Amino acid sequence: MKIKTQHIFPIIFGAACILSVTNCASNKPDPNRKLIWNDEFNTKGLPDSSKWNYDVGGHGFGNEESQFYTKDRLENARVENGNLVIEARKENWEQSKYTSARLLTRGKFSFQYGTVEVRAKLPKGRGTWPAIWMMSENMKKWPDDGELDIMEHVGYNQGYIHASVHTKKYNHIQGTQKTDTILVNDASEKFHVYKADWTPEKIEVYVDDKKYFTYINKEKNNEAWPFDRPYYIILNLAVGGFWGGKEGIDDGIFPQKYYIDYVRVYQNK
């Protein structure tokens, strides 16, 4: 989602699917997989520092985003009522006009192959850009070391959920990124489970057990498949940017809250 480059995300989407209003995924016991990491957000206050780090700054993070990402600030990231709440606010901070937060497990937890499930309710409004995504723990160069976007949503295109991979061969700079889209009409009104299954052979992305994106390791080389190394998890709510702000920012919508009920990572037994 957010890489340190100055190129624009082209709006290149696959055929959109329509998702019915279901919320059925992920609570079924599966004897073939083992829970290896999770955060259920059952405490109160700041996010668990043993599990989460922060990216901090207001330099646009490569996409000309408008927010300043803060650290250890309850107004922007807190745990309450069983949820992680990432809140974007209209306020002056440093040189930015908005604040928000970007949490990541880099340096705390990474894994290679498995299933990621995140149950979340998304913010709403023009200018919002929440995401669930993953990058290489030992990222040296983007996009060579890969990026997996499990969920992206831009507020001016309400309900359309996007999943993508970016690699050296397939990326948005070249207009060759692999991506697809599904319509979730109530993504900002109800919680849904956003899931990625990652194996050495393929990556499959779901919403509430509805699969809508598959990327297969056909070429068996690093330029097309860098997904053979440990990755970490990122949760963030951007404001504006090349994609999120493509149709401007509606200042009347703030504050906007991004609710995450849980993050769970499984590996096959």
Side-chain angles (χ1 to χ4, degrees):
M1 178 199 182
K2 315 276 194 307
I3 41 73
K4 294 182 180 179
T5 177
Q6 294 300 317
H7 297 271
I8 297 177
F9 278 89
I11 307 303
I12 301 175
F13 303 141
C17 310
I18 297 178
L19 182 70
S20 62
V21 182
T22 58
N23 203 352
C24 57
S26 83
N27 285 321
K28 303 170 186 175
D30 187 342
N32 297 315
R33 64 182 192 172
K34 176 184 178 182
L35 184 67
I36 59 169
W37 188 92
N38 68 308
D39 197 335
E40 304 296 321
F41 304 113
N42 289 330
T43 58
K44 187 176 181 181
L46 291 171
D48 187 343
S49 61
S50 71
K51 296 181 177 181
W52 299 99
N53 282 315
Y54 297 80
D55 274 336
V56 178
H59 50 72
F61 284 81
N63 297 320
E64 293 191 1
E65 299 161 26
S66 298
Q67 79 290 326
F68 191 99
Y69 283 134
T70 66
K71 178 181 179 180
D72 293 336
R73 186 171 186 252
L74 290 170
E75 290 87 346
N76 296 123
R78 60 189 177 274
V79 179
E80 62 183 20
N81 301 320
N83 297 308
L84 169 65
V85 181
I86 300 177
E87 183 171 328
R89 301 168 64 90
K90 175 72 174 73
E91 58 183 341
N92 294 325
W93 195 271
E94 301 288 342
Q95 303 299 313
S96 301
K97 295 181 179 179
Y98 310 88
T99 61
S100 188
R102 182 156 103 175
L103 278 66
L104 58 161
T105 65
R106 185 178 60 204
K108 309 280 188 180
F109 170 76
S110 62
F111 69 104
Q112 183 173 336
Y113 310 133
T115 299
V116 182
E117 292 183 355
V118 180
R119 186 171 185 263
K121 183 170 68 172
L122 309 185
K124 189 173 187 177
R126 182 164 46 86
T128 59
W129 186 3
I132 301 163
W133 51 302
M134 297 170 58
M135 295 186 78
S136 169
E137 179 72 26
N138 298 306
M139 173 66 71
K140 294 181 175 64
K141 183 179 180 182
W142 188 96
D144 298 24
D145 293 314
E147 175 181 330
L148 167 59
D149 299 321
I150 299 170
M151 184 286 298
E152 292 187 272
H153 179 266
V154 290
Y156 68 82
N157 199 16
Q158 179 61 35
Y160 287 89
I161 305 299
H162 311 280
S164 311
V165 297
H166 300 280
T167 73
K168 184 175 181 178
K169 186 171 183 179
Y170 302 111
N171 61 77
H172 72 268
I173 295 173
Q174 301 173 167
T176 57
Q177 84 274 22
K178 301 297 185 178
T179 185
D180 218 328
T181 304
I182 188 169
L183 177 59
V184 184
N185 284 311
D186 58 356
S188 299
E189 286 72 43
K190 294 186 177 181
F191 284 88
H192 293 273
V193 176
Y194 301 93
K195 179 174 77 171
D197 283 333
W198 170 29
T199 72
E201 292 77 35
K202 61 186 175 180
I203 293 168
E204 298 175 312
V205 181
Y206 302 73
V207 180
D208 295 335
D209 283 336
K210 171 78 173 180
K211 181 169 66 176
Y212 72 101
F213 174 70
T214 301
Y215 181 64
I216 299 173
N217 183 12
K218 295 179 179 178
E219 298 170 57
K220 310 292 184 182
N221 62 58
N222 189 68
E223 291 189 358
W225 183 270
F227 305 107
D228 56 358
R229 63 204 69 185
Y231 274 57
Y232 63 90
I233 299 167
I234 310 166
L235 305 172
N236 70 289
L237 172 50
V239 178
F242 281 132
W243 190 13
K246 184 173 180 287
E247 296 190 8
I249 301 170
D250 179 1
D251 284 348
I253 66 172
F254 295 98
Q256 279 294 312
K257 298 177 182 179
Y258 176 17
Y259 295 91
I260 297 99
D261 181 30
Y262 58 73
V263 181
R264 298 172 183 167
V265 180
Y266 300 87
Q267 283 189 331
N268 292 333
K269 293 183 180 178

